[in-house]
Amino acid sequence: MEGRLQVFTGNAHPALAEAICRELEVDLGRAIVSRFQNGETRVKLDENVRGADVFVIQPTSEPVNDYIMELLLMIDALRRASADRITAVIPYYGYAKQEKKTSGREPISAKLVANLITTAGADRVLAVDLHSPAIEGFFDIPVDHLRATPLLARAFRARVHGDIVVVSPDAGGVGRAQDFRTRAKGSLAIISKQHPDADKTEMLDIVGDVDGKTCVIVDDMISTGGTLIEAVKLLKSRGADRIYVCATHGIYAGQALDLIANSEIEELFVTDTIPLPQDSPANVTVVSVAPLLAEAIMRTHKGMSISALFT
Ligand code: R5P
């Protein structure tokens, strides 16, 4: 791109946006992203963006609706202010759990949110570990889908040595666990899981030998923590020795943090795609995605390959 690179953010994760700007050696764009007294979101860009290659960093985490609205209004403001190209950088993509109809009379929320972002005027999307790869196809604009697995595998291996079993807590996560296993080395185990109700989890069985082994559960997100805690219980019941966890998005809904703090998890490695809670348990280690996102932004700006980042 000819135009200058500019970075803006809403209120979802200013610390991550600032860390990315430090990596890129650019100043964070000035903008007011606040509320009118009537509760509506107010956006005003405080600098010229005409002809610029603009990246808006905004994970759509809790409060999801507010942060999605901030993102949409920022994109709209940038488009109307004649930015040349707008990339929505969404380290965590909310509304991803309903990405397909599992029964009648349900929305496909992830598709609706993709439509909103595109209609607002985004030219590209840069995301990290989408809950389902299908979401990429919900956009008719280019999507660069980054994976946190290389970062997590590296951080894990810097701390934990020796033989391991990489555990996928459900069939849908086998590809991710397999990728982790290729990088960290080890054998593979797969848990069969079902959801008897929304936000409820039951572990049915496990394929693979975990008896006396060091296990690492690899997952894309920790929401209620139900999946994780039930997986830990099942692994322990099958004789697993030490249990570690690597997860991309720490959502920590409901009692998740208490469950983790009081669990038999040795250490949880999680990225900062979502702001970290103040009361993070002592067994949580944070791996920053800022360098990865900064590199992907720079490559996008310069028209360089992103997939080369993962080889
Ligand atoms: C499931 O498909 C995902 O990979 C996660 O395992 C799940 O979304 C985690 O949610 P929770 O923490 O509420 O069990």
Side-chain angles (χ1 to χ4, degrees):
M1 279 285 290
E2 288 293 309
R4 67 198 173 280
L5 189 162
Q6 283 181 275
V7 178
F8 286 86
T9 190
N11 291 307
H13 203 343
L16 178 63
E18 279 157 15
I20 291 170
C21 285
R22 276 196 297 279
E23 295 278 336
L24 290 169
E25 299 182 354
V26 300
D27 291 329
L28 189 55
R30 291 188 310 277
I32 297 168
V33 186
S34 61
R35 291 285 186 93
F36 289 108
Q37 284 192 16
N38 65 3
E40 292 169 8
T41 301
R42 174 186 176 220
V43 168
K44 170 148 182 27
L45 306 176
D46 261 348
E47 55 188 85
N48 176 30
V49 295
R50 195 175 289 272
D53 186 19
V54 181
F55 294 81
V56 187
I57 298 165
Q58 179 89 329
T60 49
S61 50
E62 183 80 20
V64 188
N65 297 347
D66 289 343
Y67 290 159
I68 286 177
M69 201 62 203
E70 285 185 5
L71 175 63
L72 297 175
L73 295 179
M74 292 190 81
I75 293 170
D76 187 71
L78 287 162
R79 186 170 51 86
R80 292 173 193 282
S82 304
D84 213 26
R85 186 172 69 174
I86 304 163
T87 302
V89 181
I90 312 175
Y92 165 71
Y93 187 89
Y95 275 112
K97 272 186 176 267
Q98 280 194 302
E99 95 288 12
K100 60 180 176 299
K101 287 174 72 167
T102 49
S103 64
R105 302 190 294 277
E106 286 184 351
I108 303 181
S109 317
K111 169 65 177 154
L112 176 63
V113 172
N115 286 350
L116 292 171
I117 291 166
T118 309
T119 303
D123 296 295
R124 312 181 58 87
V125 169
L126 183 55
V128 182
D129 281 343
L130 292 164
H131 185 53
S132 155
I135 296 171
E136 206 173 316
F138 293 171
F139 289 91
D140 282 330
I141 53 177
V143 176
D144 286 305
H145 186 184
L146 305 182
R147 307 303 201 278
T149 315
L151 295 176
L152 290 167
R154 212 175 304 135
F156 172 78
R157 268 318 193 185
R159 190 98 92 225
V160 184
H161 308 289
D163 286 349
I164 54 163
V165 182
V166 180
V167 181
S168 173
D170 51 41
V174 173
R176 184 178 304 108
Q178 186 67 275
D179 182 28
F180 189 96
R181 177 196 177 201
T182 308
R183 295 167 191 277
K185 309 295 177 216
S187 56
L188 185 69
I190 301 163
I191 293 178
S192 145
K193 168 179 113 174
Q194 70 175 15
H195 291 294
D197 207 346
D199 285 335
K200 288 236 161 44
T201 307
E202 264 177 29
M203 297 302 179
L204 303 174
D205 209 344
I206 183 162
V207 180
D209 178 20
V210 297
D211 193 11
K213 306 273 175 65
T214 296
C215 296
V216 52
I217 302 170
V218 177
D219 208 349
D220 65 328
M221 61 166 79
I222 301 167
S223 184
T224 63
T227 299
L228 203 53
I229 297 307
E230 293 305 316
V232 170
K233 281 189 202 160
L234 181 63
L235 291 170
K236 279 287 173 190
S237 75
R238 301 295 169 90
D241 181 17
R242 292 182 300 156
I243 301 177
Y244 294 84
V245 177
C246 286
T248 307
H249 310 296
I251 301 166
Y252 308 126
Q255 303 305 309
L257 281 175
D258 285 343
L259 291 171
I260 291 164
N262 298 315
S263 72
E264 296 191 76
I265 296 169
E266 298 279 335
E267 192 166 357
L268 160 62
F269 296 83
V270 68
T271 80
D272 57 354
T273 55
I274 295 174
L276 313 169
Q278 301 277 332
D279 46 357
S280 212
N283 57 349
V284 175
T285 296
V286 177
V287 181
S288 183
V289 291
L292 173 69
L293 284 168
E295 180 68 25
I297 287 171
M298 188 49 84
R299 283 171 176 264
T300 304
H301 179 63
K302 291 183 173 169
M304 291 164 66
S305 164
I306 299 274
S307 50
L309 273 177
F310 298 100
T311 49

